[in-house]
Structure formats: C-alpha cells, structure tokens
Amino acid sequence: MHATEDLAEADRLMRICNACRYCEGLCAVFPAMEKRRSFAQGDLNYLANLCHQCGACYFDCQYAPPHEFAVNVPKTLSKVRSGSYGLYAWPRALAPLFERNGLAIALVAAFSVAAFIFGFAAWTDAGVLFSAHHGEGAFYRIMPHAAMAWLFGAAFLYAVVALVMGFRAFWADIGAGGTRPQGLSVWQAIRDAGRLRYLDGGGVGCMNEDEQPTDMRRHYHHATFYGFLACFASTLTATFFHYAFGWEAPYSWYSLPVVLGTLGGIGLVVGPLGLMRAKKTRDKTMTDTSRFGMDVAFLAMLFAIGATGLLLLFLRATPLMGTLLAVHLGFVFGFFLTMPYGKFVHGLYRFGALVRYAMEERQGYPVPAPKRRAA
Amino acid sequence: MPEPSELFSRSWDVLVAGGGNAALCAAIEAAWSGASVLVVEAAPKFYRGGNTRHTRNLRCAHDEANEVLTGPYPEEELWEDLLRVTGGETDEELARFTIARSKELWDYMNAQGVRFQPSIGGTLSLGRTNAFFLGGGRAMLNALYRRAGRLGVKVVYDAPLTGLEIEDGVFRSATVAHGGRDYRVKAKAFVGAAGGFEANIEWLKEAWGPEAENFLIRGTAYNRGAVLRLLLDAGVKSIGDPRQCHAVAIDARAPKFDGGISTRLDCVVFGIVVNRDGERFYDEGEDFWPKRYAIWGRLVAAQPDQIAYAIIDSRSIDRFMPSIFPPIEAGSLEELAAKLQLDAARLRATIETFNGAVKPGSFDPAALDDCRTEGLSPEKTHWARTISEPPYYAYPLRPGITFTYLGVRVDRNARMIMEGSAPSPNMFAAGEIMAGNVLGKGYLAGIGMTIGAVFGRVAGREAGQHARN
Ligand SMILES: Cc1cc2nc3c(=O)[nH]c(=O)nc-3n(C[C@H](O)[C@H](O)[C@H](O)COP(=O)(O)OP(=O)(O)OC[C@H]3O[C@@H](n4cnc5c(N)ncnc54)[C@H](O)[C@@H]3O)c2cc1C
Ligand code: SF4
Ligand code: SF4
C-alpha cells in the first residue's frame, strides 16, 4: 500500500494514535492527525514535517517499546521526514544526493573551497594574495567585487529556484495544491516557527538524554537559526552599502554589516556545536540515526561558515586574509549550491507544514480551495 | 542509586508497595514530611505504575473555572454524580471526604510538576468536571517519579511484595522478591497501594467461572492482587463485592494485557451486535454509548465463547472515533459471515428481520432519536437504521476488564481497619486497593485517580507521621 516501510510504519502508528489521542495537547501533529481518518503518503509527509522531534510523545506513550504495539512516533516520523526531502528535490535527477548526503555535501564543500583557493592562486598575484591589506576594497584586490557578486548571485539564485520548486512539490504532496497560503496563517506559522513553539513537549521542554526535559536544543537551534538570519542580513546590508552608497568592504568593527556578521557568526559557531553535542548525548531510541550524515553535514557547514567568517574578521589585517577569504567564500559558495539538497530544506518544509496547519485550524479540514473570480 | 540489596537491608520509615498514582502520592507526601521512603514496584521500569499508565484524567470538584476546567463543579454535584453511579453503594463519610479533598488536587498536581491539557474551545467532552493530563497517564506518572526522586524517595523495580509479617494488626516487615532472591524489608509504617486483582485470571475465574479465561485485561499484567490477598488473609476487613469487576466491550483483537484505551470501540449504537450464533441479544440503542459501554462487557461475557460482533454498513463507518484495528469488510452478508465464521443463513435472517422491523425516523446521533424497531425481541430503541448499504463492516467484541471492586476497609486517615473494627496503627491503603470504600459499584470517569490521589496523600502523611513519632 505504501511506497516505503517507513510510510507503512507511520500509517500503522497514526492509526493507533488516532484511537488513543492521549498526546493531543503536546504539539500540532496530533490535532492535525485527528482531522484525518486515513493516512495517504501526503498526509504522512505533512505530519512528519510538522513534527519537531521533541520526543515528548515517546516518553509519554504507554505503548512505546517494549509494549507490543511498539509505538515510537518521533523516530518513525523522523525517518519519514528525511525520506520526504528527496521526493521534492528539483531537479528530480538530484534526489539521490539525499541518499548519502553527508558525503555529497562534504565533497561539494571541499571542491568549492579548493576551487576558491586555486582560483585565487591562479588569478591573483601571489604577492597580493599573501600580503596584508588595509582599507576600503581590501577584499576586492583579491577577488573583484563584480566577479564575487555575479558568482554568488548566480549560485544563490539557483538555490532559490530549486527551493521554490521543492516547496511547490511539497505543497502539492501534502494535499495543499490548489490552495494558497493565507496571510494570517503565514503570520501564525512565522510566530510558531520563530519561537519553535512545538519543540517544548507541550510546555515542559524537549526530551534529550532521558525523560528529564530540558530546553537546551531549543536555545541552540535559536542561536543557529537567528545566527544564520543575522549573517544573511549582514550580507544584504553590505550589498546595499556597496551599491547604494558606494562604500566598499571591509567595514569598520561597529558598522551594521560587521556587527550583524559578528553576532551571526557567533550564533553559527555556538549553535551548531551545541546541537552537535545534544545530538551525541540524545537518547538514540527516539531518533533516526540512519540520517546522521545529513544532519552532521548541515551543522558542520554552518559551523564552518561561522568560524571562517569570524576568523576572517579578526585576521583581516594580516597576510592570512587572502587564504581565509578563499576558504570562507568556498564554504559559503558550497552552502548555496547544496542548500536545496541537504538538511537546510527541513526549515522550509516544516514552515510549509506549519502554514498548512494554521490554515486547517482556521478554515477547517479539508481546507477549502480558493474561489476563482468569475471571469 | 545504591544497589537494591543494600536498600532492602536498611530500615525504613515508610515502605510503599505499588508504583502507580496512589503509591507515588503517598511516597511524595511521606518524604515531604521528612520520612525515609522505599517504594517497591512489581513491574519493570517501563511498565511502572500499573493502570495509572493508561489513565487520561482525574475528576475534581471546584468552585470556579480555571485555565483547564471550563466551569464550576460544586462538591454537591460530584456527590450526586457519585451517588447515582454507585446506587448508594458508597461510604458517605469517606466519599464526602474524598470530594472535599479533590478540590486541592488541581493545585497539588501542578505543584508536583504534573501538567494538564487546556480544553481548547471546550473540545474535551468532560472539560468541566475532569482535568486531562497533558500527554496522558504516563506523562503524569513521569512527573510524579521525578518529584519523588528529588525528594529522596528510593524506588526498586521488578520487586513484587510477596509476604507480609503482621502481628495483631501491626506491620513488622515485608518480603520482597528481586533478582531471584527474597529480601525481608523492615519499615515503621506500610502503605499498600498495589492496585486490584484484575490481571489475576485464576482469581477472576473464582468469581466468574471458566468464562474469565476469555476476558481481556485492559491494563497492566502486574495487578495480580498479591498485596490485597495478603492483607485480607492477615485479618484486614474487606469491602466491595468480590464477584464484581468493571468490564467494557473492547475489540476482541486487543492484546491479552495492556491494550489500554485505544482498543475501545464506539460503533455499537450505529449497528447491531450478534453473538457466535448470529443472534442479537440486547438493545444496541438503549442510551448514549458512554453511558452503556460498561454494561456491554457483561453482556458479551454472558454470550457463548464470550465473543460478539458489531455489524454496521457503509453509512456508519465514519461516525465514530477511528479504531486501532481495521474493520472486517465485506461486499455481501455471505462474505461477511464467512470472514467472521458465522452461519451465513442465520446472519442473513437476523439482519433481514432487523431491517424489516426498522421504522422510519430522522436519524440524529446527537440525540436519543426516533429511529427504532418495532416487533423485535430485543428491540433497538434508538439510532436504528437498516443494515443494507454495502460494504458491510464488522468489529469483534470481547469483555475488557478495567478494575475489580474488592478491597480493604479504611478510615478517613487511610488506616486499614482490622476484623473487629480496630484501625491498624501503621498500615495504610490507597488507590484501587481501597477504592471500593467510595465506589462500591459502577464507575464515574476520573474518580479512580481522585480516590488514589486523595487517599495516597493522606496515607503518606499519616504513615510519615507515625514513623517519626
Ligand atoms: C485503560 C484504562 C483507562 C483508565 N482511565 C482512567 C481515567 O482516565 N481516569 C481515572 O481516574 N481512572 C482511570 N482508570 C482507572 C485507574 O487506572 C485506576 O483507578 C488507578 O490507576 C488506580 O491507581 P493505583 O495507584 O491504585 O493502581 P495502579 O495504577 O494500577 O498501580 C498499582 C501498582 O501496584 C503494582 N503492584 C501490583 N502488585 C504488586 C506487588 N505484589 N508488589 C509491588 N507492587 C505491586 C503494580 O505494578 C502497579 O504499579 C483507567 C483504567 C484503565 C485500565
Ligand atoms: S504516542 Fe502513544 S500515547 Fe501518544 S497518542 Fe500515540 S499511542 Fe497515544
Ligand atoms: S516528537 Fe514532539 S513534535 Fe514530534 S510528534 Fe512527538 S510530541 Fe509532537
């Protein structure tokens, strides 16, 4: 009936949960489940992406293993969730990148970093590359700004297109095709995602090493997510400074791009390290360990971007600047290329699921399709 | 955590037998008062807390609505509800005491770290009278165990109490089996909170006869009544009908033990129920299902082989809470009979007779509607619609035992009363093991947790006090 064992298992569990419903107050997954009586692939992918993997329903479940019903919702939904990413990949031919994702991302990152180092070495005079630079435009003596903007602009644009196409595939798969995300629901989802509302096990915090709930994963995730946003904002403001005012990087320590970049960089160092540690100590019975590579690759990539960015900031007036710039840009470029083919997409699909959930709560299930205006 | 053998060799202020709501409330209260407390739980850690693991809510009186309870539920109203379901089989003093103390439970449970589920828009049908545990009974138990741990309570799992040394109504020591050895554990006071005997099929057979072999036990396999038996044998006064138990009709495909809440079936009122011989035997539409599900356990128990089949057609399949097991589906009555291993001609005759007796009416599951049969024995008095729109669906039913009523007599200090009516100075009881004092018959959703928590707290406090004096 179902395409994969994971989907079949999720279907089995949702039937049990739907007859039990004890967990309905813990998160969005259970109320969404209660609106359905049967679970097609799209329903399961929706529920799986709605799950924040807090673990509460595992420790609260009277049917968890060793009970013969062997209900393990977090583990099963996390398998379905990671399995769903490949389904939506654009172009479809690249879906296999999700299979051995850790390796794929590591290779792209390594090639990208190497390409920048070799590129710099080939096009830039060694004397320029390995000497200290000061003042406006120092970076661009190594790589011309126009080249940087075109290269990264193109990579970013590609990522955006691939992500949008992925999102459309997800939106159609979860049965929302034909409906449009609505303003109020999107705003609700932004608030829920921004606070990680459903990572708190219904209020006690999420389960990590054991049944003692803590909130550390949420804090680390916040550091990572807001760190990422700050870095992104830093790049945007810098680009704006460049084109609008003609101010060239590097900027001073207290300029907006540098402050944002520094805070963001710290977030991207602390957050992924914390998440990595939490991942290692977390009770493995409720997590899907088979996708370890994908998770680690994503965290490592973010960490590398944050750490090299900070190093670049501290050492930008030294002869190391050229090399560090190459490494940093290499990681950022690799990240852009792999965004649609790695753990990054989890945020996108979870956000989509939250929008869908807000719509169902607001408009009932099934969400009515928007009326076409009479021609 | 020290080795169990070392724990068993210490001398304790309070020994608690059991690991559910009643036991933990007693342990927490005793430890809070400064007593040293050892809890011995027969089950392994995962299965700790017997039937409490399977619970959903507790009932408490309150004068005004709060974040969770949607409206006031005065003491008097709870008392009337209790009087109604027990038909007066309740000790008024203890019942009123339970109800008065139930008012404290909301704050008490919150203070122990137990969380409750908000009733969003009044979606929970008992939202006014009952507080629902967020995440269910196991979540609630986890909170109580965390709290007990912080107060220094020691718990040993896989440690059934197997013997009691009692002299003239005074507890001296207990025998506890653990890891293939027997230990003698000494304590100044004893709290028996080890549940009823519903998982002890042999004992159930004494009351019900060999039919009990076919009963399914909805809760834990560890409530075998060993502590209850030891106490009664040692001269503690009993209460409650030894031949009664709370039995509901559940899906026959449920596991023998621990199927819990998800094995319930709510489809009976929408169709007919036939026994192994293809015959109807009771009015399926007598009243709303929540008011009738508890008599269907007995009804099915009285049928040959203790099995029955609820049969509905395609018009009703989406009308009740989805069930954990898929319905048995068939395109024709003959196919259905074959799948259920029933006599096809008999089944067809029963259904055709039923269909012929259905009077026109306007179907309304939310009311005691006027859809009824005429000229049948037994009639179906509400929600009677013909079974005529294939596919047909069937769910097999068996009696599912929730709990037993027999218990030990206690006073309002949770002290066990000995034969001859003297209270024991240092033996206390709480929970299902004494629930019969308050709930002699019938059932009121959520009252089990209430009795356990109220008497657990009293037992813990009194036991702690006794030990320190
Ligand atoms: C499916 C189901 C749903 C229910 N839902 C509700 C509900 O929503 N609300 C409600 O109020 N009530 C409900 N009940 C009833 C409720 O479970 C009981 O009233 C309540 O659990 C009794 O609490 P207790 O602590 O006395 O017993 P239990 O919770 O059953 O605990 C008894 C403990 O004693 C242990 N034990 C047994 N023998 C020994 C021994 N020899 N030595 C040591 N330990 C021993 C057991 O392992 C167990 O841990 C439900 C019952 C079932 C079966
Ligand atoms: S996870 Fe377990 S307790 Fe929670 S709803 Fe599902 S079956 Fe019930
Ligand atoms: S793990 Fe947490 S978020 Fe996921 S279904 Fe369970 S309770 Fe909900």
Side-chain angles (χ1 to χ4, degrees):
Chain A
M1 226 191 72
H2 281 292
T4 66
E5 269 175 38
D6 294 337
L7 285 166
E9 172 68 357
D11 189 3
R12 182 183 78 88
L13 297 194
M14 287 301 107
R15 274 168 198 281
I16 297 176
C17 293
N18 214 4
C20 165
R21 300 191 171 185
Y22 276 17
C23 291
E24 65 185 357
L26 292 179
C27 67
V29 172
F30 296 93
M33 165 201 82
E34 288 177 15
K35 295 190 171 72
R36 293 157 167 80
R37 287 185 78 96
S38 59
F39 302 93
Q41 167 178 307
D43 296 308
L44 295 169
N45 285 335
Y46 162 54
L47 297 173
N49 280 285
L50 200 49
C51 167
H52 287 47
Q53 189 73 14
C54 76
C57 64
Y58 173 73
F59 284 102
D60 292 354
C61 183
Q62 64 272 26
Y63 303 124
H67 190 284
E68 62 187 281
F69 288 172
V71 174
N72 188 337
V73 174
K75 185 179 205 134
T76 308
L77 289 190
S78 98
K79 286 184 178 171
V80 171
R81 187 166 55 242
S82 4
S84 76
Y85 299 155
L87 281 180
Y88 313 128
W90 182 90
R92 271 312 290 272
L94 292 182
L97 285 180
F98 280 102
E99 287 314 313
R100 302 196 57 195
N101 195 252
L103 183 67
I105 300 237
L107 286 178
V108 173
F111 276 117
S112 174
V113 170
F116 273 87
I117 293 178
F118 282 114
F120 281 14
W123 278 299
T124 318
D125 186 84
V128 180
L129 186 57
F130 297 113
S131 60
H133 299 267
H134 301 277
E136 271 204 3
F139 295 148
Y140 311 128
R141 266 166 247 150
I142 295 182
M143 185 174 184
H145 184 267
M148 220 188 261
W150 277 107
L151 194 60
F152 281 85
F156 185 66
L157 200 68
Y158 173 78
V160 169
V161 170
L163 288 171
V164 166
M165 296 305 285
F167 187 83
R168 287 173 58 118
F170 170 73
W171 194 249
D173 184 42
I174 66 172
T179 63
R180 266 181 265 122
Q182 300 218 319
L184 282 175
S185 301
V186 173
W187 174 232
Q188 178 69 45
I190 289 175
R191 291 196 342 236
D192 293 346
R195 306 191 275 138
L196 289 178
R197 172 168 172 195
Y198 298 113
L199 193 64
D200 71 352
V204 281
C206 95
M207 312 285 173
N208 290 292
E209 285 100 85
D210 52 26
E211 74 221 32
Q212 301 275 356
T214 65
D215 238 354
M216 287 322 282
R217 256 172 84 241
R218 194 213 304 246
H219 298 323
Y220 289 133
H221 191 285
H222 279 333
T224 313
F225 176 65
Y226 289 106
F228 180 79
L229 282 191
C231 288
F232 194 66
S234 157
T235 312
L236 286 186
T237 39
T239 312
F240 185 71
F241 281 9
H242 187 94
Y243 287 111
F245 305 125
W247 301 340
E248 288 201 352
Y251 302 109
S252 69
W253 291 89
Y254 45 81
S255 67
L256 193 54
V258 175
V259 170
L260 282 172
T262 311
L263 289 176
I266 293 172
L268 283 186
V269 168
V270 174
L273 279 181
L275 287 173
M276 196 58 224
R277 218 189 77 141
K279 181 170 285 302
K280 272 182 72 182
T281 53
R282 202 162 195 229
D283 188 334
K284 300 290 180 294
T285 45
M286 60 174 166
T287 55
D288 169 22
T289 42
S290 66
R291 302 288 174 149
F292 192 67
M294 173 165 78
D295 299 356
V296 174
F298 182 53
L299 290 176
M301 200 74 157
L302 291 172
F303 174 79
I305 291 173
T308 54
L310 287 178
L311 276 178
L312 186 58
L313 177 67
F314 293 127
L315 303 177
R316 63 188 185 182
T318 71
L320 279 174
M321 186 270 268
T323 317
L324 277 172
L325 185 66
V327 176
H328 180 63
L329 292 181
F331 277 120
V332 175
F333 191 75
F335 181 72
F336 279 0
L337 286 185
T338 56
M339 261 182 359
Y341 313 107
K343 180 78 188 265
F344 177 83
V345 297
H346 83 283
L348 195 64
Y349 301 145
R350 179 159 299 137
F351 182 74
L354 284 168
V355 173
R356 169 85 185 162
Y357 178 70
M359 287 167 70
E360 287 182 5
E361 288 289 287
R362 203 175 292 281
Q363 297 163 264
Y365 172 80
V367 173
K371 286 202 185 67
R372 280 178 198 280
R373 238 177 256 137
Chain B
M1 176 94 179
E3 283 294 304
S5 54
E6 196 269 312
L7 291 175
F8 293 140
S9 67
R10 291 190 205 167
S11 184
W12 297 87
D13 287 336
V14 180
L15 173 68
V16 180
N21 169 48
L24 267 285
C25 287
I28 288 171
E29 208 66 22
W32 178 245
S33 77
S36 63
V37 183
L38 178 69
V39 172
V40 292
E41 158 64 300
K45 185 172 178 195
F46 172 77
Y47 286 101
R48 71 186 181 187
N51 286 348
T52 302
R53 295 173 73 247
H54 289 287
T55 63
R56 183 71 167 106
N57 54 42
L58 76 82
R59 186 174 287 253
C60 52
H62 47 276
D63 296 326
E64 44 198 74
N66 62 21
E67 311 90 283
V68 166
L69 297 156
T70 53
Y73 187 39
E75 281 185 48
E76 200 53 32
E77 190 184 345
L78 208 177
W79 164 246
E80 278 158 22
D81 285 343
L82 189 64
L83 209 54
R84 184 169 39 79
V85 299
T86 56
E89 277 188 46
T90 178
D91 176 321
E92 181 163 354
E93 189 207 342
L94 294 182
R96 286 195 182 269
F97 172 74
T98 308
I99 292 169
R101 290 300 177 88
S102 78
K103 284 177 138 176
E104 300 165 6
L105 289 182
W106 167 260
D107 288 330
Y108 175 77
M109 287 292 172
N110 271 298
Q112 311 314 314
V114 174
R115 285 172 167 265
F116 293 96
Q117 180 184 332
S119 173
I120 312 147
T123 44
L124 301 168
S125 68
L126 296 168
R128 181 174 66 91
T129 55
N130 290 34
F132 285 64
F133 306 125
L134 182 71
R138 190 165 169 231
M140 175 262 198
L141 266 174
N142 290 344
L144 293 185
Y145 272 93
R146 278 198 291 272
R147 172 80 176 144
R150 268 187 244 119
L151 289 171
V153 171
K154 298 283 181 275
V155 182
V156 185
Y157 301 105
D158 295 300
L161 186 148
T162 54
L164 284 170
E165 191 195 343
I166 295 169
E167 282 170 19
D168 300 328
V170 180
F171 169 82
R172 300 280 179 218
S173 72
T175 310
V176 176
H178 182 74
R181 276 193 56 190
D182 282 347
Y183 297 87
R184 194 159 149 255
V185 183
K186 280 189 260 173
K188 293 185 188 139
F190 173 71
V191 177
F197 63 91
E198 57 275 351
N200 190 332
I201 307 285
E202 265 52 55
W203 196 340
L204 291 178
K205 277 200 218 158
E206 284 175 27
W208 289 73
E211 291 91 335
E213 200 65 62
N214 284 330
F215 293 175
L216 302 174
I217 313 305
R218 301 176 69 204
T220 180
Y222 295 90
N223 281 5
R224 302 182 44 79
V227 176
L228 176 61
R229 175 94 283 160
L230 290 167
L231 289 170
L232 296 179
D233 290 351
V236 180
K237 220 173 180 176
S238 80
I239 181 129
D241 188 341
R243 309 183 67 83
Q244 290 303 323
C245 58
H246 183 262
V248 308
I250 61 170
D251 197 305
R253 293 163 291 182
K256 184 75 180 169
F257 295 102
D258 258 319
I261 197 71
S262 66
T263 62
R264 66 153 170 247
L265 268 180
D266 299 345
C267 62
V268 166
V269 293
F270 296 108
I272 61 166
V273 178
V274 301
N275 62 18
R276 188 199 61 186
D277 303 329
E279 308 277 5
R280 286 178 64 242
F281 52 88
Y282 197 82
D283 178 359
E284 299 88 350
E286 190 175 44
D287 205 341
F288 291 109
W289 183 242
K291 296 196 177 163
R292 278 292 159 272
Y293 74 113
I295 68 163
W296 277 86
R298 271 158 213 291
L299 291 169
V300 176
Q303 300 308 308
D305 294 345
Q306 294 69 53
I307 187 128
Y309 303 90
I311 298 174
I312 56 174
D313 72 8
S314 59
R315 284 177 299 176
S316 304
I317 187 73
D318 283 343
R319 291 218 166 256
F320 47 92
M321 274 265 290
S323 160
I324 171 175
F325 299 103
I328 297 162
E329 184 181 335
S332 70
L333 293 179
E334 281 63 31
E335 187 190 343
L336 190 68
K339 284 190 172 169
L340 300 179
Q341 295 179 304
L342 299 180
D343 183 296
R346 252 323 323 147
L347 182 67
R348 175 168 280 284
T350 299
I351 290 180
E352 280 175 356
T353 316
F354 173 81
N355 287 350
V358 170
K359 295 288 138 209
S362 45
F363 179 73
D364 181 4
L368 291 170
D369 70 3
D370 60 350
C371 292
R372 52 195 305 278
T373 60
E374 226 173 84
L376 282 187
S377 171
E379 301 281 13
K380 182 174 179 189
T381 51
H382 302 286
W383 310 297
R385 292 194 296 181
T386 57
I387 301 195
S388 50
E389 303 287 325
Y392 302 105
Y393 299 98
Y395 292 94
L397 302 170
R398 272 203 196 282
I401 310 302
T402 322
F403 57 84
T404 48
Y405 289 95
L406 178 70
V408 293
R409 191 95 177 80
V410 295
D411 66 12
R412 61 188 290 162
N413 291 324
R415 254 172 239 276
M416 297 186 204
I417 309 285
M418 307 303 295
E419 295 288 357
S421 298
S424 161
N426 70 346
M427 294 200 297
F428 304 84
E432 200 180 308
I433 202 170
M434 51 63 66
N437 289 272
V438 178
L439 190 77
K441 206 176 98 181
Y443 185 61
L444 194 57
I447 200 76
M449 288 287 104
T450 311
I451 298 172
V454 166
F455 278 91
R457 293 183 64 195
V458 174
R461 194 175 324 128
E462 294 290 322
Q465 228 159 50
H466 174 88
R468 280 176 300 116
N469 288 339

